[in-house]
């Protein structure tokens, strides 16, 4: 069976959930091989983790040359590995970094690229949600090695023990790839909540909160969810831009999205309508968000959410 390379998204020995989702998807396309690229970043720990999600092989590119640079050296490293292994496909998490790596790699390998897939099935048939979610597109790479970047929450990660055999791979990074260097990195402030784009559940608040996000946050915490916001809430200064969901904010695709006091403007929908289940709380039964929902509650969020939170915490 042909190998499918999965680029691992990792920080300080921790592997991000989308990597496990990609390993699960990779099993539909061939034999999953995980690729670690880093510089002294606890490769052994990472290899142990990906093995539990079916990685048969773990390529370790652990090289001081890669330290402190932006994405170009990673794309070169992946190119060299792909040229050696001729994989059936390359899967990359659809983060900003992942998409840039995918784009650079597709030029280097002269291969087709599909970005922001929400599903990939046997034979590399990928599904994308395009034009602000108004069209669902099914496509396939027809040239070279298929490179597909896949959005978080596109598959439920399935644990399965792979052989996890570690293979060191050395790369040579060109000077041209070292022209942009990281001078400072600011880690996301620890909130105790999951990262918005990766969370399985997102609870968002809009103008209808009137600036009081307490019920939204308490409900989110009861569910172990991330907190999001509409642009109206962000523009009002109630939440920073990093919380914004939508066309000019983040795109989320969780298992469950709960919109509270959000009218459902097209620009907000663009960032959340591929969510698997959508619930809305709005006091206006005519709110456009209700056209999109699986479950809707007509009511004041300041009354509905505390009651729902109480019910959940009782269980
Ligand atoms: P509103 O539209 O004012 O809706 C508030 C809702 O809350 C209403 O439906 C109301 O019935 C309900 N409500 C009020 N009080 C309560 C209560 N007590 N309980 C329950 N419900 C209540 N928007 C985004 O969100 N994300 C984007 O990325 C984005 N990008 C944009 C890009 C462009 C180029 C443009 C032009 C606009 C963009 N917008 C974006 C803005 C978008 O058009 C809407 O203005 C915005 O989404 C409205 O936010 P809202 O739903 O919170 O507010």
């Amino acid at each position: 069976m042909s190998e499918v390379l999965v680029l691992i998204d990792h920080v300080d020995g921790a592997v991000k959930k989308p990597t496990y989702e990609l390993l699960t998807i990779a099993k539909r396309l061939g034999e999953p091989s995980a690729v670690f690229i880093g510089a002294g970043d606890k490769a052994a720990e990472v290899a142990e983790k990906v093995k539990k999600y079916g990685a048969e092989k773990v390529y370790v590119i652990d090289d001081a040359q890669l330290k402190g640079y932006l994405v170009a050296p990673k794309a070169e490293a992946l190119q060299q590995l792909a040229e050696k292994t001729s994989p059936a496909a390359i899967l990359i998490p659809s983060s900003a970094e992942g998409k840039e790596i995918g784009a650079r790699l597709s030029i280097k390998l002269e291969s087709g690229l599909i970005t922001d897939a929400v599903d990939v099935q046997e034979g590399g048939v990928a599904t994308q949600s395009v034009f602000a979610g108004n069209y669902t597109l099914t496509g396939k790479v027809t040239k070279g090695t298929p490179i597909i970047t896949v959005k978080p929450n596109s598959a439920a990660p399935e644990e399965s023990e792979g052989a996890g055999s570690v293979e060191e791979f050395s790369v040579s990074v060109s000077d041209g790839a070292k022209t942009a260097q990281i001078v400072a990195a600011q880690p996301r402030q620890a909130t105790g909540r999951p990262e918005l784009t990766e969370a399985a559940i997102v609870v968002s608040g809009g103008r209808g909160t009137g600036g009081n996000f307490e019920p939204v946050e308490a409900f989110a915490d009861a569910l172990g969810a991330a907190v999001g916001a509409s642009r109206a809430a962000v523009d009002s200064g109630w939440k920073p831009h990093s919380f914004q969901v939508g066309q000019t904010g983040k795109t989320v695709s969780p298992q469950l999205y709960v919109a509270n006091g959000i009218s459902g403007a097209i620009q907000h929908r663009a960032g959340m309508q591929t969510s698997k289940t959508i619930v809305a709380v709005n006091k206006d039964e005519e709110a456009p968000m209700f056209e999109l929902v699986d479950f809707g509650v007509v009511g004041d969020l300041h009354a509905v959410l505390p009651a729902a939170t109480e019910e959940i915490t009782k269980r």
Side-chain angles (χ1 to χ4, degrees):
M1 213 194 291
S2 311
E3 270 186 290
V4 176
L5 300 183
V6 170
L7 183 62
I8 304 172
D9 193 357
H10 63 95
V11 182
D12 197 25
V15 175
K16 295 199 179 175
K17 188 170 141 262
T19 304
Y20 300 137
E21 295 165 10
L22 292 200
L23 286 167
T24 302
I25 289 174
K27 284 178 228 157
R28 301 174 192 157
L29 313 181
E31 199 171 270
S33 291
V35 184
F36 172 95
I37 303 181
D41 291 325
K42 305 184 179 165
E45 247 175 74
V46 170
E48 269 309 304
K49 287 176 183 158
V50 292
K51 184 180 159 183
K52 295 199 174 78
Y53 286 84
E56 296 297 338
K57 207 178 267 181
V58 185
Y59 291 105
V60 171
I61 303 169
D62 192 356
D63 192 330
Q65 294 182 84
L66 299 163
K67 196 160 184 79
Y69 288 101
L70 292 173
V71 294
K74 291 186 184 167
E76 274 193 6
L78 212 45
Q79 173 198 3
Q80 289 162 30
L81 180 63
E83 282 169 351
K84 186 190 163 235
T85 55
S86 306
I90 302 172
L91 304 180
I92 301 173
S94 232
S95 57
E97 178 178 296
K99 282 189 272 190
E100 190 178 335
I101 292 173
R104 287 173 180 269
L105 189 61
S106 83
I107 292 167
K108 289 175 190 300
L109 296 177
E110 295 187 21
S111 289
L113 165 73
I114 291 177
T115 54
D116 282 341
V118 291
D119 190 23
V120 187
Q121 287 298 331
E122 249 175 74
V125 178
T127 306
Q128 290 164 294
S129 174
V130 298
F131 292 128
N134 285 311
Y135 287 86
T136 298
L137 195 143
T138 307
K140 194 178 156 148
V141 170
T142 54
K143 186 178 181 213
T145 306
I147 301 165
I148 308 173
T149 78
V150 185
K151 278 191 178 183
N153 294 309
S154 294
E158 286 165 16
E159 286 193 43
S160 72
E161 196 75 12
S165 59
V166 172
E167 196 173 311
E168 305 277 343
F169 185 76
S170 13
V171 292
S172 61
V173 177
S174 71
D175 287 343
K178 295 185 192 163
T179 49
Q181 196 163 18
I182 298 165
V183 289
Q186 199 166 6
R188 186 172 73 99
Q189 273 183 344
T191 59
R193 297 193 183 108
E195 158 68 31
L196 184 55
T197 54
E198 291 166 16
I201 306 176
V202 174
V203 177
S204 287
R207 204 193 308 270
T209 61
N212 176 11
F213 261 69
E214 222 180 277
V216 171
E217 288 177 343
F219 186 59
D221 290 341
L223 292 172
V227 174
S230 72
R231 176 157 159 186
V234 169
D235 285 353
S236 302
W238 301 336
K239 285 286 162 200
H241 183 259
S242 57
F243 282 63
Q244 187 175 315
V245 172
Q247 189 180 318
T248 43
K250 289 183 175 158
T251 304
V252 299
S253 194
Q255 297 297 326
L256 173 63
Y257 186 87
V258 189
N260 301 288
I262 296 177
S263 59
I266 183 76
Q267 295 90 353
H268 187 81
R269 291 174 177 216
M272 47 62 72
Q273 64 185 353
T274 55
S275 306
K276 310 293 178 293
T277 301
I278 299 171
V279 175
V281 180
N282 198 303
K283 66 180 187 186
D284 174 10
E285 63 179 42
E286 303 287 325
M289 186 59 96
F290 284 132
E291 293 162 13
L292 201 66
V293 299
D294 299 283
F295 302 99
V297 181
V298 178
D300 185 338
L301 69 90
H302 297 103
V304 174
L305 290 182
T309 306
E310 198 187 320
E311 271 308 309
I312 291 165
T313 39
K314 258 194 232 162
R315 291 181 188 188

